[in-house]
Amino acid sequence: MTASVLVLNAGSSSIKFGLFDISAGEPALLCKGLLDEHEAKPRLVARSPSGDTLFETQREASDADGGHLFAEVLAFVEDRFGDHRLRAVGHRIVHGGPEYSRPVELTDEVFTRLEALTPLAPLHQPRCLAPVHPVRTIKPELTQIACFDTAFHHSMAPPANRFAIPKRFEARGLRRYGFHGLSFEYVATRLAAIAPELAARRAVIAHLGNGASLCALRDGRSIDTTMGLTPLDGLVMGTRCGMIDPGVLLYLLQQEKMTTEDLQHLLYHESGLLGVSGLSADMRTLLASSEASAREAVDLFTFRAAQEIAVMANTLGGLDGLVFTGGIGEHANEIRSAIGEHLAWLGVRIDAAANDEGRESIGASDSSVALFVIPTNEESMIARHCADLLRKPGRL
């Protein structure tokens, strides 16, 4: 009997999942799907690697309690892939704090410590941890493994991981962690395979989506990133503000008399593309709109992305490669083009035809920076980490 792992990647309104065969060296996708608990009727759909629908079901909203959708997933996996012994469930956990720099088994003690990090990622951490107890109730014998978005950035060192605040706060864990690490790690491995000449050179990965951040790579390791203690910092995002003058926050608290709860909601849910445009957090909607405010939001997004890529290049001491990934980075050629224009002074030249066609390599012949579009795959990265942990003596 072959072995498999089920990967759960929890977002703000849905959970992507993937089942992977881990019997061979590299995890092989068996099926993928979506658990959507926020529709009027919670929905589960599972598809083959080629996209064919294997299973689909919906339930009444009143049935949404008790982890029934997780039970449906596990029952489907057992029924359809019973010849692949399910060995573990791997979870994407956004914040690992200072303690967790590699995947770990999700014991009760680990869960409690991760739950305590919720104030550092209030939008994400509860969603990431939500499946753990339902899965344990349904299949208590299954190993559950936490894989962290912060782990890839543990290679960052001072001054890049430091805030200019009293050192006593740094001793309590208030420092720059960075996020999207599972995405950056996957793309870094793909970049090394596609362009091995860049493996030891200076590259920036731009993960652009509803959440967005950059990672400066040297020798395939993270040495700087745009997010900090929380996933609020850095670039303009769908509903998050990104970098902001702390004085703005003080003003809102002191002069507008906002509560901390109101301020948190503003920064996480009402800002970014949505806040600037007043229309939508979805880049596709903004690009299709003729409203001036939509163009203003897009312009701010590309301006800030290019600005921060230049910051990453400064950390690296130059720029040899730039990779676009994430929903916007992979699909929005207009955004890639605008960012490239802002960075022309760095030697970035995008081939218009290659960019419009969404090719893997989009650099023009006279570009001094290698330019790529590489789809990310966090689920595959999580499966790889789970397989490595399970292959330790006595596990598989």
Side-chain angles (χ1 to χ4, degrees):
M1 180 179 287
T2 55
S4 65
V5 296
L6 177 66
V7 171
L8 298 178
N9 185 347
S12 59
S13 61
S14 62
I15 300 175
K16 292 186 289 184
F17 68 88
L19 182 69
F20 292 82
D21 184 332
I22 58 167
S23 303
E26 186 70 17
L29 181 65
L30 297 170
C31 73
K32 57 187 177 181
L34 185 74
L35 287 150
D36 198 326
E37 298 178 285
H38 290 253
E39 291 189 359
K41 292 187 175 182
R43 179 172 62 100
L44 162 66
V45 60
R47 304 185 190 281
S48 69
S50 61
D52 297 328
T53 300
L54 302 177
F55 179 77
E56 186 168 6
T57 186
Q58 283 187 300
R59 296 227 183 174
E60 295 299 325
S62 59
D63 293 333
D65 296 331
H68 76 277
L69 289 177
F70 300 114
E72 293 272 14
V73 171
L74 291 166
F76 163 73
V77 166
E78 188 173 314
D79 179 63
R80 186 66 181 252
F81 299 96
D83 56 337
H84 292 77
R85 182 190 172 207
L86 185 60
R87 288 287 291 109
V89 176
H91 301 265
R92 171 185 170 239
I93 305 297
V94 166
H95 216 306
E99 184 174 0
Y100 297 108
S101 60
R102 58 180 58 87
V104 295
E105 185 173 343
L106 265 164
T107 62
D108 288 338
E109 180 183 357
V110 169
F111 183 92
T112 299
R113 291 182 179 181
L114 296 178
E115 201 171 35
L117 296 172
T118 294
L120 303 185
L123 185 67
H124 300 84
Q125 198 81 344
R127 283 289 299 171
C128 294
L129 293 171
V132 175
H133 285 316
V135 170
R136 184 173 296 166
T137 299
I138 299 161
K139 290 280 187 180
E141 74 280 5
L142 275 179
T143 298
Q144 297 195 67
I145 297 170
C147 299
F148 302 100
D149 254 345
T150 49
F152 187 64
H153 301 296
H154 270 253
S155 54
M156 290 192 340
N161 66 349
R162 214 164 239 167
F163 293 120
I165 57 176
K167 291 288 286 292
R168 66 181 182 274
F169 295 111
E170 184 175 333
R172 297 178 197 170
L174 270 66
R175 63 173 176 81
R176 300 184 69 246
Y177 289 94
F179 299 89
H180 292 129
L182 292 162
S183 173
F184 289 134
E185 186 177 9
Y186 177 83
V187 174
T189 59
R190 290 291 302 134
L191 180 63
I194 293 166
E197 70 280 4
L198 283 176
R201 302 183 73 185
R202 304 162 299 185
V204 172
I205 302 173
H207 178 109
L208 307 178
N210 186 54
S213 69
L214 307 175
C215 179
L217 289 177
R218 183 183 289 129
D219 297 324
R221 290 161 53 86
S222 172
I223 65 167
D224 200 0
T225 188
T226 51
M227 284 181 170
L229 176 72
T230 75
L232 270 178
D233 203 5
L235 307 183
V236 175
M237 293 170 254
T239 61
R240 282 171 269 166
C241 60
M243 184 176 68
I244 191 169
D245 179 352
V248 173
L249 311 184
L250 293 175
Y251 179 89
L252 293 172
L253 289 169
Q254 296 168 355
Q255 303 302 318
E256 296 294 325
K257 307 303 181 184
M258 275 191 163
T259 66
T260 54
E261 291 79 10
D262 289 340
L263 183 58
Q264 177 174 291
H265 191 270
L266 173 75
L267 299 176
Y268 275 100
H269 299 283
E270 299 177 2
S271 301
L273 294 174
L274 175 62
V276 176
S277 71
L279 298 171
S280 177
D282 192 321
M283 182 62 79
R284 293 167 297 186
T285 300
L286 299 179
L287 289 173
S289 174
S290 60
E291 295 289 333
S293 60
R295 176 45 57 185
E296 290 171 2
V298 172
D299 287 347
L300 181 58
F301 181 92
T302 57
F303 172 78
R304 290 284 298 117
Q307 188 177 49
E308 290 300 307
I309 290 169
V311 171
M312 296 295 105
N314 180 71
T315 300
L316 291 165
L319 186 63
D320 301 306
L322 174 60
V323 182
F324 293 96
T325 193
I328 296 172
E330 293 168 27
H331 303 294
N333 60 307
E334 183 177 335
I335 299 301
R336 296 192 298 261
S337 179
I339 292 172
E341 289 175 8
H342 281 301
L343 295 172
W345 64 276
L346 264 178
V348 172
R349 304 284 188 275
I350 291 180
D351 182 304
N355 184 46
D356 291 347
E357 294 169 11
R359 297 180 200 166
E360 184 176 75
S361 176
I362 60 170
S365 58
D366 61 343
S367 181
S368 59
V369 177
L371 303 169
F372 296 94
V373 179
I374 301 178
T376 192
N377 193 329
E378 293 168 329
E379 292 80 28
S380 177
M381 198 72 243
I382 294 169
R384 194 179 305 174
H385 282 309
C386 290
D388 290 343
L389 188 61
L390 290 169
R391 287 189 184 112
K392 289 184 176 180
R395 298 304 299 262
L396 255 186

